[in-house]
Amino acid sequence: NAGVTQTPKFQVLKTGQSMTLQCAQDMNHEYMSWYRQDPGMGLRLIHYSVGAGITDQGEVPNGYNVSRSTTEDFPLRLLSAAPSQTSVYFCASSYGGTGATEAFFGQGTRLTVV
Amino acid sequence: AQTVTQSQPEMSVQEAETVTLSCTYDTSESNYYLFWYKQPPSRQMILVIRQEAYKQQNATENRFSVNFQKAAKSFSLKISDSQLGDTAMYFCAFIYSGAGSYQLTFGKGTKLSVIP
């Protein structure tokens, strides 16, 4: 049982480059989300999805794009990387999104933009 | 909007002792969930304990228990018999339980060190 799998675990980008952070879950969860973690800031919601084909913005969506073509996958795209996007990124999934069921987190991706 | 405040950036405790981590939150909602997550150096986010706001009884999970004071909007975590493996960042988090609410709001975290 893999749970939530994020790839890559580490990435260094140059300013202006684009990339996709991958997230996959094998628990048939409808709800998936992306958070970023910055020092002294806790985790902040970037985008979320309540099912295939449905996505919405969170607290800090600028500079990121998402899509949800299948229940299992929820990739996060950085369109033109900026140093301000240096952070640790977490993908999470749950059966429902309201806290009644546990959210499972991936192991995170540490992204550095130089 | 909800806010979660953890006023202790760092704490330390002797092994086998008890420590309490503080969390306060601000919301106008009456139905919600509160959580404590543990993040060890491996970076993995691990759910420690969950509290449903409509339940007056404080949640417990083995050595972990909470003191939930709804009127005071306080949600502290007590760790008994601290172990070296408890060394981690601890995050308090809130989520509204109504329809259409999907955002976990996190505090800034408390770094706990267990000293042998």
Side-chain angles (χ1 to χ4, degrees):
Chain A
N1 189 357
V4 179
T5 303
Q6 287 183 238
T7 55
K9 288 186 171 54
F10 301 93
Q11 182 70 49
V12 178
L13 284 180
K14 293 183 179 179
T15 297
Q17 284 185 317
S18 63
M19 80 159 294
T20 299
L21 306 185
Q22 300 291 345
C23 176
Q25 53 91 8
D26 61 358
M27 297 172 282
N28 201 32
H29 286 166
E30 288 296 319
Y31 178 74
M32 297 184 73
S33 55
W34 278 101
Y35 289 84
R36 60 178 288 173
Q37 181 181 16
D38 300 299
M41 294 292 292
L43 279 73
R44 293 179 293 168
L45 183 65
I46 305 171
H47 284 285
Y48 66 92
S49 169
V50 299
I54 306 169
T55 64
D56 205 346
Q57 297 180 352
E59 181 184 353
V60 288
N62 292 339
Y64 307 96
N65 197 7
V66 293
S67 60
R68 183 100 178 267
S69 56
T70 67
T71 299
E72 294 77 20
D73 300 299
F74 190 43
L76 178 71
R77 298 181 185 86
L78 280 70
L79 307 174
S80 177
S84 61
Q85 294 178 305
T86 293
S87 189
V88 179
Y89 291 85
F90 286 94
C91 179
S93 76
S94 63
Y95 181 74
T98 59
T101 57
E102 180 178 351
F104 292 85
F105 286 82
Q107 288 204 299
T109 297
R110 181 176 292 279
L111 175 68
T112 303
V113 183
V114 298
Chain B
Q2 285 73 230
T3 58
V4 177
T5 302
Q6 295 179 247
S7 59
Q8 305 149 315
E10 294 192 38
M11 296 188 72
S12 61
V13 62
Q14 292 289 135
E15 194 175 6
E17 296 296 310
T18 296
V19 64
T20 299
L21 281 58
S22 300
C23 172
T24 59
Y25 59 95
D26 187 22
T27 183
S28 58
E29 307 294 344
S30 57
N31 297 316
Y32 49 86
Y33 292 86
L34 294 161
F35 308 86
W36 279 98
Y37 281 91
K38 171 185 178 182
Q39 186 181 46
S42 67
R43 222 168 51 203
Q44 182 70 48
M45 293 290 287
I46 302 165
L47 178 64
V48 175
I49 201 163
R50 180 176 68 187
Q51 176 77 42
E52 299 170 70
Y54 68 87
K55 288 189 176 179
Q56 292 187 341
Q57 185 175 4
N58 290 324
T60 62
E61 287 288 342
N62 300 314
R63 297 182 295 108
F64 299 88
S65 62
V66 297
N67 183 4
F68 174 49
Q69 301 290 328
K70 190 172 183 179
K73 295 180 182 175
S74 172
F75 183 61
S76 60
L77 175 69
K78 185 172 80 172
I79 306 174
S80 304
D81 185 26
S82 297
Q83 301 176 358
L84 296 179
D86 295 334
T87 292
M89 284 289 291
Y90 287 82
F91 292 97
C92 180
F94 169 104
I95 191 167
Y96 170 54
S97 60
S101 172
Y102 302 104
Q103 177 169 340
L104 272 167
T105 300
F106 287 85
K108 294 183 178 182
T110 296
K111 183 177 181 180
L112 177 67
S113 299
V114 180
I115 303 166

